[in-house]
């Protein structure tokens, strides 16, 4: 221990360094990471509000008689909902989701709900990860979310393949919020890697909109899939 004028110098320096780190963390926001990015165009942002309403619709038990519809409603046709899976049907392996045939926009939308604070299975997915635990396509991904994404893909790829076959001009869009955003980000990567199982070869038919996503992949993967994955974060 170093002491000068009865003052523990090393301890003071250490405390000041910790205080500076804590202060910077308190003031740091995600806006610092993107403050030099270009603005999205109107065309690029256009799908976002529509997809957000679709994600919210996953929370409803009966879309013909919604309980929590936002002002103006969900803006969807309940009869175009092709498939819905709840917590019991996913067995806790993934959050609830639905497949919606958006005939107005020539789009097949796979929408996934966000984190349910009352569901232990959601926390189990989120906490199933260690730094550097799981490799994917030359990078690293979140272990629990990848397992959830692979389970969802294996469960639904035949359904998606038939829908894509019946609607050859439609895009396939994955959309999710929070936990669901992390899941769809990895799900679209799994789908791109397994295009043959879906019966399509064009990478540009895939889109993903991750609303407030969990951090789930290494930077090199985020860059490599930037043409497919759109991360939307409110700042």
């Amino acid at each position: 221990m170093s002491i000068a004028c009865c003052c523990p110098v090393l301890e003071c320096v250490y405390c000041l360094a910790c205080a500076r780190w804590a202060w910077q963390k308190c003031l740091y926001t995600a806006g610092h990471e993107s403050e030099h990015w270009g603005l999205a165009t109107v065309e690029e942002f256009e799908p976002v509000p529509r997809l957000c309403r679709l994600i919210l619709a996953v929370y409803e038990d009966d879309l013909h008689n919604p309980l929590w519809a936002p002002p103006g409603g969900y803006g969807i046709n309940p009869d175009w909902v092709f498939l819905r899976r709840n917590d019991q049907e996913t067995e806790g392996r993934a959050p609830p989701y639905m497949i919606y045939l958006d005939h107005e926009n020539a789009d097949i939308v796979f929408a996934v709900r966000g984190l349910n604070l009352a569901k232990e299975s959601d926390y189990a997915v989120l906490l199933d990860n260690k730094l550097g635990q799981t490799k994917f396509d030359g990078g690293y991904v979140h272990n629990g979310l990848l397992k959830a994404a692979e389970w969802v893909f294996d469960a639904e790829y035949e359904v998606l393949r038939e829908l894509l076959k019946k609607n050859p001009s439609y895009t396939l869009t994955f959309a999710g919020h929070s936990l669901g955003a992390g899941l769809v980000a990895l799900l679209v990567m799994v789908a791109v890697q397994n295009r043959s199982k879906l019966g399509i070869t064009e990478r540009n038919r895939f889109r993903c909109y991750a609303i407030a996503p969990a951090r789930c992949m290494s930077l090199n993967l985020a860059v490599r899939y930037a043409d497919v994955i759109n991360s939307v974060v409110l700042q």
Side-chain angles (χ1 to χ4, degrees):
M1 178 184 295
S2 298
I3 299 178
C5 298
C6 301
C7 178
V9 177
L10 291 179
E11 287 79 354
C12 288
V13 171
Y14 179 77
C15 290
L16 287 172
C18 290
R20 181 177 180 273
W21 177 85
W23 179 251
Q24 289 180 329
K25 282 293 182 181
C26 289
L27 293 180
Y28 187 84
T29 68
H32 292 134
E33 296 181 349
S34 58
E35 59 186 351
H36 300 299
W37 294 3
L39 297 176
T41 65
V42 173
E43 292 75 17
E44 288 173 331
F45 190 76
E46 182 275 330
V48 174
R50 170 167 48 86
L51 293 171
C52 285
R53 290 174 182 266
L54 268 172
I55 295 167
L56 287 173
V58 180
Y59 288 86
E60 296 282 0
D61 292 325
D62 183 3
L63 285 172
H64 287 92
N65 300 286
L67 298 177
W68 305 290
Y74 291 109
I76 64 176
N77 184 341
D79 295 328
W80 292 353
V81 175
F82 184 82
L83 177 149
R84 291 173 63 95
R85 301 289 190 210
N86 57 30
D87 284 304
Q88 289 71 38
E89 290 169 306
T90 65
E91 300 175 350
R93 296 172 181 263
Y97 55 85
M98 75 176 182
I99 298 175
Y100 179 73
L101 297 180
D102 187 350
H103 296 297
E104 290 182 354
N105 296 284
D107 196 13
I108 301 168
V109 182
F110 196 109
V112 184
R113 190 207 69 194
L115 176 69
N116 184 340
L117 296 176
K119 273 288 177 184
E120 292 183 6
S121 57
D122 282 7
Y123 289 104
V125 171
L126 193 60
L127 297 175
D128 179 13
N129 189 57
K130 293 179 181 178
L131 187 64
Q133 180 178 358
T134 306
K135 291 184 177 181
F136 183 91
D137 193 20
Y140 290 91
V141 296
H142 187 286
N143 185 63
L145 288 172
L146 179 63
K147 289 197 297 187
E150 290 176 334
W151 183 88
V152 170
F153 184 80
D154 289 340
E156 308 298 353
Y157 80 86
E158 292 181 347
V159 173
L160 293 174
R161 182 177 61 200
E162 289 303 310
L163 291 176
L164 290 164
K165 183 178 179 180
K166 292 178 181 177
N167 303 279
S169 63
Y170 283 28
T171 50
L172 175 58
T173 299
F174 297 91
H177 169 251
S178 181
L179 178 66
L183 190 151
V184 295
L186 298 189
L187 179 57
V188 74
M189 290 166 57
V190 172
V192 168
Q193 289 289 314
N194 292 275
R195 294 193 290 272
S196 60
K197 287 188 175 182
L198 295 171
I200 57 178
T201 58
E202 308 94 330
R203 183 181 172 111
N204 60 6
R205 288 185 69 184
F206 294 94
R207 298 188 306 172
C208 174
Y209 287 84
I211 314 300
R215 294 194 176 192
C216 57
M217 67 183 72
S218 54
L219 180 59
N220 64 326
L221 290 177
V223 172
R224 193 180 308 158
Y225 286 86
D227 61 316
V228 176
I229 302 173
N230 301 278
S231 296
V232 183
V233 181
L234 179 63
Q235 298 183 2

